[in-house]
Amino acid sequence: MIEIIDKQDCCGCNACVQKCPRKCIRIEVDNEGFEYPIVNKELCVNCHLCEKVCPHINDGYVRRPTAVYAIRHPNNRIQLQSSSGGAFSLIAEWIIQQKGVVFGAIFDDEWNVIHGYTETLDGLVSLRMSKYVQSRIDFSFKRAEKFLKEGRSVMFVGTPCQIHGLKLFLRKDYENLITVDFVCHGVPSPKVWRSYLNGVARRYYIESIAFRDKRLSWEKFCFALQFKDKKKEVCEDLRRNSYLRGFIHDIYLRPSCYNCKNKCFKSGSDFTLADFWGIKNTYPELYDKNGVSCLMVNSHKGMNIFSALNVHAVKVEYDKVLQYNHSVEYSVKQKYFRNLFFYMLNRKCIPLQFSVLTIQCLNKLYGMIYK
C-alpha cells in the first residue's frame, strides 16, 4: 500500500488513486498546497496495484534522445501564441488531423491549472503556453485509457513524472499513445499561485493569463494578466514579477522536484520539448526572436511521427542543448529558506496575497539572490 512518509517520495501524479480497484485512496492537500494520497487501511485489500503504478517506487531507465532538432512552427501567429517555437502545436495538429485526442494543462473557470483534453484544432489554443503551476491530474489517466481502448490516437502532454505515472498506470504499451514531456525544473505550489492571484486580481474579473507573453520578445518573456475591464492589466517581466521570480529561483516547488526521479528521459516519453535556450551561442544562424523549440525524439514511434510532420527542422547536437538546459539531467537544489517561506505564508506574517514584499523580506533575512 502507498504510505507517504517523506514528501519527497510523491510527485502527485495520481496514478495510485486512479488505479485502486477498491477506491480506497483519497487525495488530501497539505499546508503547502500540494496533493498527496491517503489510504483507507480498512478498505485496502493489499493488492499492491498502487505500488506498481508509482513512478517513485518504479524507477525508469536512463536514456538519451534518438535525435534532437531545432524547430519552429511555420505559422507566425501560432509561434507567437506558444512558449517557444510551437513544437507542441506541430505534433498536436497532426494528432487532431488523425481524429485523435490531445491531453494537456489548461486553466479551469477559476484559473486553477488542471489537465484537460481537446479533439479540435481550436481547442489547442487553451493547451498552448507554459503554465507554471502543478496541474491537477484528477482522472485524466482513466479518460486517456478509455480513448485508447476505443482505438483513438491519444497525445498526452505532461511533466516527466506525470508521463511516467501514466505509462505505469496503463500497464501496457499502446501503439496509439503518443507521450510528450518537457524539460522541467520543478512545479510550483497551487496554493502560492492562488495567493498571488487573489492579491493581484482582487475585485477584477480576469480575461486571460500568460506566463510567457512575448511582447518583450521570447527571451525577455513577461507575465501578462488581462482583465475584462480593459483599462486594467498586469504586464511584468521576469525581474519585476514576484511569482515568476519565486518560481525561477525554486522557492516553492514540490518537495519531490528537488530530487526528481525522472531526469535523463526516465519517463519513457516519445518526445521531450524545451525552449532552445543558448541558441544564440550554439547555433546563431537558427535564432529567431519569436522563439525556437528544441524537439528531442526519444523513440522509434516518435521518429515515425516526426517524419510525418513534413516541417523544416535542423538536426542539432544533444550536448549543445544540455549546455543551456541542465534540468534535462539535474534536479534543482532546495533553498534553505523554503520552509520559512511557507511558515510565513501560512501564519500570515506577510499578507496572504503573494506580493513582491514576500521575496524582498526573504531577501533581506538571508541576503540572497535577486540582484
Side-chain angles (χ1 to χ4, degrees):
M1 123 188 27
I2 291 288
E3 190 169 7
I4 307 302
I5 298 173
D6 186 338
K7 289 185 176 180
Q8 282 203 349
D9 294 336
C10 176
C11 63
C13 72
N14 268 29
C16 58
V17 178
Q18 298 176 77
K19 200 66 178 178
C20 178
R22 299 281 292 177
K23 298 181 180 179
C24 65
I25 307 177
R26 72 179 190 277
I27 285 294
E28 285 192 359
V29 178
D30 74 350
N31 63 354
E32 294 182 350
F34 295 110
E35 295 183 342
Y36 292 91
I38 304 294
V39 179
N40 183 333
K41 296 180 181 180
E42 293 182 1
L43 295 178
C44 179
V45 294
N46 289 313
C47 67
H48 302 293
L49 279 176
C50 57
E51 297 169 7
K52 291 176 181 177
V53 301
C54 176
H56 259 261
I57 294 174
N58 302 278
D59 206 1
Y61 299 100
V62 173
R63 301 186 301 162
R64 284 176 71 95
T66 303
V68 184
Y69 298 92
I71 192 170
R72 60 189 181 212
H73 202 287
N75 185 315
N76 185 251
R77 178 181 59 84
I78 293 178
Q79 183 187 13
L80 288 172
Q81 289 178 353
S82 306
S83 294
S84 49
F88 156 76
S89 293
L90 286 168
I91 306 170
E93 287 163 358
W94 185 85
I95 295 295
I96 296 294
Q97 289 163 4
Q98 312 307 309
K99 309 299 182 185
V101 186
V102 179
F103 283 78
I106 62 172
F107 289 113
D108 69 8
D109 292 339
E110 296 182 345
W111 301 101
N112 303 303
V113 179
I114 64 172
H115 249 67
Y117 68 87
T118 183
E119 302 172 69
T120 68
L121 290 174
D122 289 342
L124 293 178
V125 174
S126 62
L127 292 170
R128 293 190 188 111
M129 283 285 188
S130 299
K131 299 167 182 71
Y132 296 137
V133 188
Q134 180 163 35
S135 65
R136 191 170 69 245
I137 285 287
D138 196 26
F139 288 91
S140 291
F141 293 176
K142 276 195 168 184
R143 296 186 187 107
E145 183 181 42
K146 180 176 180 293
F147 284 123
L148 290 167
K149 288 181 176 179
E150 292 171 352
R152 302 279 297 277
S153 293
V154 172
M155 173 180 172
F156 201 102
V157 185
T159 61
C161 57
Q162 288 171 340
I163 296 301
H164 192 184
L166 169 66
K167 292 175 78 71
L168 289 169
F169 169 85
L170 293 173
R171 306 287 289 162
K172 62 176 284 188
D173 185 23
Y174 286 87
E175 188 59 34
N176 50 330
L177 173 66
I178 298 90
T179 51
V180 182
D181 60 13
F182 47 84
V183 175
C184 174
H185 89 272
V187 290
S189 161
K191 180 176 183 175
V192 176
W193 166 241
R194 177 51 52 187
S195 296
Y196 169 79
L197 206 58
N198 288 345
V200 297
R202 297 187 180 93
R203 65 182 181 278
Y204 297 99
Y205 292 101
I206 299 170
E207 185 169 273
S208 66
I209 294 175
F211 289 91
R212 297 282 301 275
D213 189 281
K214 291 182 178 178
R215 69 185 71 182
L216 301 178
S217 84
W218 164 47
E219 296 144 305
K220 298 179 181 179
F221 60 85
C222 66
F223 177 88
L225 193 157
Q226 183 70 53
F227 296 95
K228 292 183 179 179
D229 178 355
K230 300 297 183 182
K231 297 178 182 178
K232 173 75 173 174
E233 75 170 348
V234 173
C235 181
E236 297 175 334
D237 65 20
L238 184 58
R239 292 181 61 84
R240 292 174 56 220
N241 184 264
S242 57
Y243 183 82
L244 287 182
R245 289 169 69 185
F247 164 57
I248 290 296
H249 289 282
D250 315 318
I251 295 174
Y252 36 78
L253 305 182
R254 189 178 182 95
S256 60
C257 297
Y258 302 107
N259 185 30
C260 179
K261 298 288 188 181
N262 291 282
K263 297 297 182 183
C264 302
F265 307 95
K266 287 183 178 180
S267 72
S269 65
D270 297 303
F271 296 99
T272 297
L273 305 177
D275 288 272
F276 207 131
W277 299 129
I279 195 170
K280 274 186 175 179
N281 299 322
T282 53
Y283 297 96
E285 70 280 6
L286 301 179
Y287 172 75
D288 185 322
K289 65 182 179 64
N290 292 329
V292 183
S293 292
C294 174
L295 177 63
M296 290 169 258
V297 185
N298 307 325
S299 70
H300 180 70
K301 185 195 301 183
M303 187 58 72
N304 287 339
I305 294 171
F306 175 77
S307 300
L309 297 180
N310 194 28
V311 294
H312 178 67
V314 179
K315 197 170 186 178
V316 297
E317 296 178 31
Y318 169 66
D319 289 340
K320 289 189 176 181
V321 172
L322 182 62
Q323 186 178 350
Y324 293 91
N325 277 284
H326 295 158
S327 293
V328 177
E329 297 188 359
Y330 302 101
S331 299
V332 297
K333 302 298 182 185
Q334 182 172 323
K335 292 293 186 292
Y336 55 83
F337 58 58
R338 181 185 182 279
N339 291 339
L340 175 62
F341 167 79
F342 279 106
Y343 174 83
M344 295 171 70
L345 190 67
N346 289 321
R347 291 292 295 269
K348 301 183 181 179
C349 300
I350 53 176
L352 182 60
Q353 65 269 27
F354 181 67
S355 67
V356 177
L357 179 62
T358 308
I359 294 294
Q360 290 175 337
C361 180
L362 293 172
N363 201 19
K364 288 178 181 178
L365 282 171
Y366 289 93
M368 282 288 291
I369 57 184
Y370 314 135
K371 296 179 180 178

